[in-house]
Amino acid sequence: MSAQAPAPPIRLRVWQRRRPVVGKAWRHPLAIVGLVLAGAWIVIAIFAPLIAPHDPLAQTASSFAHPGWHHLFGTDELGRDVLSRVLFGARLSIPLALLLVSLALLIGGTLGAVAGYFGGILDTVVMRASDLVFAFPAIILAMVVTAALGPSVRNAVLALVIVSWPSYARVVRGLVLSTGDSEYVASARLLGSSARRALLREVLPNVLGPVLVLATLDLGNAVLLLSGLSFLGLGAQPPTPEWGAGVAEGTQYFQYWWIGTFPGIAIFTVVLAFNFLGDSLRDALDPQSSWSHGGDAE
Amino acid sequence: MLLGVGITFVAFCLTNIVPGDPAAANLGQRAIEDPAAVAAFRHHYGLDKPLPEQYGIYLWHIVHGDLGQSEQNHDAVTHDLGQFIPATAELALLSIFVAVVVGVGLGVIAAVRRNKLTDHVLRVVSLGGVSMPTFWIALVGLYVFFFRLNWLPGTGRLDPVVSPPPHLTGLFTVDALAAGQWSTFWNAFQHLVLPSLVLAASNIGLLTRYTRSAVLEVISNDYVRSARAKGMPGHTVILRHVLRAALPTVITVIGLAFANVMTGAVLVENIFSWPGIGQYAYRSATTLDLPAIMGVSLFVAVVYITVNFIVDVLYGVIDPRIRLA
């Protein structure tokens, strides 16, 4: 047995060499913590009906029960189990954040790529539009859109897509501009690739990494903004179990700290998980901005 | 400038897309049933003209400092803004001051202690700072420091029994000091502490991260090594040579922090019943009070443009290589 002991590390190194990105990310404890936290929340979101001890909507006579054995996180003003409401809240916030970021990425990314690749009037129009959205404070624009369309989860997501596509458009445009000028794209075009093929085959792979980082970090942001809108009463409507709305409930019943504290912790841990992951991904993909190797330019 | 016009345009489009009839919002129930009254109202505000002309009238009014009337209380929007801006300004300025002092300090420490334990701890702290929902820290802060410990006052700008200082700038702390009312100053300051700290949390995280990477980019330069080699003490090198060169990045991020504060203000003012722009924006948006929304947006745009302008000017002051033409 002892003679075979040194074997595993060597095998590990080969594995790391083959997949450098994953390997590097794994060496960061933050990435592991982020992955575990995010994974746990995704599992909770999928299996909430099985895990939750109570029906999140069931009202009981025991309102404002302190956290204890029967209700781990206590109960709210209608006697609903806070723990169950927090667990079910994951089913709303996490898929919506994913949807929101994918939509913003799709719209912003496409517009940015087209603007960067073709330039001209198209570029000007897209960039000026994104300037405008940037100049409008995101939350005010989102508030107006949701208030105008009527407060609901769907409209909150829609409003946030409207305010969040420009950052993708800008990043993708910048990356497309810099890779579009490179020699390998020029040679692909000379070899007879169409513009579409050059964009998809040559430019896209180079754009994907940074955009992935942005999207991961943005997932956290999406959860924050969505719950913020719900906190203001512009997102999920009662009695839907939603984290931001839960914190808002907590501000109504101030002395019963558990009503607002636990949904807040849920938001915090989810956002933290995505930020840890995004940050570690950035380190792995871009040694220039790395936290542990930053500024090593000698 | 172009941005300002753009914003008026977007807002103008919004006012026309959003369902809701300004005549219905402004006239009483009796008047709305009288077609003549509605027509008179529309004519008075130019609502019977074609859209491009309406936009022209609207711009003309703005240029003359008339942002229209709020549909909630029928006050001039400029009057409302004048009332609410100082409260937010006081909160935002203190919050940004705290964020800059703490964030830049922590960022420099993280950079100097790169890859040591302190650095790793600060990384987690700064990520934690940007991950915390503002409205939640506000709630927890109020519960702990007001309800439980009673170290700090609760909501509002002053205790109900304290009367506001004579109006000078609208910043209660400054006005109280100017009038020599020490107890009012102390009261106003205590009320400021919690909301401004809550508002600072995410900006501290942001500034720590960017300061750290900006300092790291500079710290390995030859001139820093020469300064060290000639025997300059460590903190002097950091302050005079490193921080100065890192300053442009830091200032850009401070500009970003202003935008963050505006977003945070909506949530924080809501919880702390702070009578500022954030609450005004919230009330206007939820009641679809379009002139007020416009006013707030224009104000924020003006802040945004001014901050960007100051940042650009400061670049030139700090770095002689980027003098503005």
Side-chain angles (χ1 to χ4, degrees):
Chain A
M1 279 307 275
S2 58
Q4 288 171 341
I10 295 170
R11 217 183 294 149
L12 186 70
R13 244 179 279 143
V14 171
W15 173 77
Q16 280 178 334
R17 216 180 299 144
R18 233 183 252 155
R19 295 160 72 182
V21 170
V22 181
K24 260 187 178 172
W26 266 109
R27 262 182 275 152
H28 289 282
L30 279 194
I32 299 172
V33 174
L35 214 58
V36 168
L37 267 178
W41 273 115
I42 290 171
V43 169
I44 288 173
I46 296 171
F47 296 106
L50 300 177
I51 307 169
H54 299 273
D55 178 352
L57 300 176
Q59 303 181 7
T60 63
S62 59
S63 49
F64 300 122
H66 279 258
W69 262 125
H70 195 57
H71 297 286
L72 272 182
F73 288 1
T75 60
D76 65 4
E77 79 277 13
L78 296 172
R80 295 173 300 193
D81 183 50
V82 174
L83 172 63
S84 306
R85 290 181 71 75
V86 167
L87 294 179
F88 267 87
R91 308 199 96 186
L92 205 65
S93 295
I94 294 173
L96 283 181
L98 286 170
L99 176 73
L100 167 60
V101 170
S102 332
L103 281 177
L105 178 67
L106 200 70
I107 297 171
T110 312
L111 285 176
V114 169
Y117 197 83
F118 294 105
I121 292 235
L122 211 60
D123 188 26
T124 316
V125 170
V126 171
M127 283 304 108
R128 287 297 82 77
S130 79
D131 278 348
L132 262 185
V133 177
F134 265 124
F136 246 102
I139 194 131
I140 293 183
L141 190 55
M143 278 193 312
V144 173
V145 173
T146 34
L149 298 175
S152 76
V153 172
R154 196 196 60 192
N155 292 342
V157 172
L158 199 70
L160 290 177
V161 170
I162 293 176
V163 299
S164 49
W165 67 268
S167 51
Y168 294 98
R170 285 203 176 176
V171 169
V172 170
R173 175 182 173 269
L175 288 166
V176 167
L177 275 182
S178 59
T179 48
D181 278 343
S182 60
E183 279 149 14
Y184 56 83
V185 174
S187 64
R189 287 307 300 274
L190 284 174
L191 285 171
S193 311
S194 65
R196 201 175 68 112
R197 189 183 157 83
L199 261 177
L200 287 181
R201 291 295 297 268
E202 311 295 335
V203 178
L204 186 67
N206 290 292
V207 173
L208 219 52
V211 171
L212 202 68
V213 172
L214 184 65
T216 315
L217 290 170
D218 219 29
L219 273 177
N221 239 337
V223 172
L224 275 183
L225 279 171
L226 268 174
S227 57
L229 281 181
S230 289
F231 172 82
L232 292 172
L234 295 169
Q237 296 301 305
T240 318
E242 203 275 345
W243 295 334
V247 179
E249 217 182 300
T251 58
Q252 307 274 311
Y253 304 99
F254 200 66
Q255 58 278 43
Y256 309 107
W257 57 270
W258 54 90
I259 298 178
T261 304
F262 291 115
I265 292 175
I267 303 173
F268 175 55
T269 48
V270 168
V271 177
L272 197 68
F274 288 136
N275 278 341
F276 277 179
L277 275 179
D279 215 48
S280 314
L281 258 179
R282 179 178 16 213
D283 275 10
L285 289 171
D286 180 11
Q288 279 263 292
S289 73
S290 156
W291 187 271
S292 48
H293 312 280
D296 265 337
E298 291 287 309
Chain B
M1 190 60 221
L2 203 68
L3 218 61
V5 175
I7 282 181
T8 61
F9 184 69
V10 170
F12 181 76
C13 292
L14 270 176
T15 56
N16 284 291
I17 293 165
V18 165
D21 181 7
N26 278 287
L27 296 173
Q29 190 57 44
R30 272 255 286 295
I32 205 79
E33 283 158 12
D34 176 9
V38 174
F41 176 86
R42 284 175 187 269
H43 182 74
H44 184 248
Y45 286 97
L47 293 174
D48 51 354
K49 306 233 165 59
L51 282 181
E53 202 173 321
Q54 278 190 37
Y55 182 55
I57 293 172
Y58 177 66
L59 273 186
W60 181 252
H61 283 170
I62 289 178
V63 171
H64 288 83
D66 177 8
L67 294 176
Q69 269 183 8
S70 156
E71 285 166 13
Q72 308 166 60
N73 52 13
H74 298 274
D75 275 341
V77 170
T78 41
H79 170 262
D80 282 353
L81 287 180
Q83 210 180 342
F84 295 125
I85 286 172
T88 302
E90 194 173 27
L91 187 61
L93 290 177
L94 182 63
S95 156
I96 285 183
F97 176 74
V98 171
V100 168
V101 170
V102 178
V104 172
L106 291 181
V108 170
I109 293 173
V112 172
R113 321 266 320 152
R114 172 153 60 120
N115 285 337
K116 305 255 171 57
L117 182 67
T118 329
D119 185 23
H120 293 302
V121 169
L122 284 177
R123 180 186 194 183
V124 173
V125 168
S126 72
L127 278 173
V130 295
S131 303
M132 272 195 278
T134 315
F135 49 90
W136 178 66
I137 329 171
L139 177 66
V140 173
L142 265 179
Y143 181 79
V144 173
F145 294 105
F146 166 61
F147 188 70
R148 274 286 136 129
L149 302 173
N150 209 9
W151 287 358
L152 292 167
T155 56
R157 293 181 76 185
L158 288 171
D159 285 347
V161 289
V162 180
S163 54
H167 186 89
L168 194 67
T169 57
L171 313 179
F172 281 0
T173 46
V174 176
D175 288 358
L177 276 186
Q181 298 172 341
W182 286 101
S183 63
T184 312
F185 167 77
W186 183 237
N187 192 265
F189 181 74
Q190 280 183 311
H191 274 269
L192 265 174
V193 171
L194 203 51
S196 57
L197 284 183
V198 165
L199 212 47
S202 82
N203 279 334
I204 289 177
L206 198 74
L207 274 159
T208 304
R209 300 177 58 72
Y210 282 95
T211 305
R212 177 188 179 276
S213 56
V215 165
L216 280 182
E217 233 157 68
V218 180
I219 212 165
S220 49
N221 274 333
D222 287 343
Y223 69 86
V224 176
R225 198 175 48 193
S226 341
R228 280 237 175 81
K230 72 183 183 189
M232 208 180 241
H235 60 269
T236 319
V237 176
I238 293 291
L239 281 180
R240 279 243 206 102
H241 293 269
V242 177
L243 205 54
R244 186 187 164 127
L247 222 46
T249 316
V250 174
I251 285 177
T252 312
V253 182
I254 295 176
L256 258 175
F258 266 94
N260 269 343
V261 160
M262 277 319 299
T263 304
V266 174
L267 298 161
V268 169
E269 288 181 2
N270 217 289
I271 295 181
F272 285 93
S273 309
W274 196 264
I277 283 293
Q279 260 207 334
Y280 186 58
Y282 170 69
R283 247 183 301 137
S284 319
T286 44
T287 54
L288 285 183
D289 182 352
L290 291 162
I293 294 170
M294 262 303 305
V296 172
S297 308
L298 267 183
F299 165 70
V300 175
V302 168
V303 171
Y304 179 91
I305 293 166
T306 316
V307 167
N308 273 336
F309 178 72
I310 295 175
V311 166
D312 280 350
V313 170
L314 282 179
Y315 279 167
V317 174
I318 295 161
D319 189 344
R321 286 171 300 184
I322 330 173
R323 279 283 141 79
L324 288 172

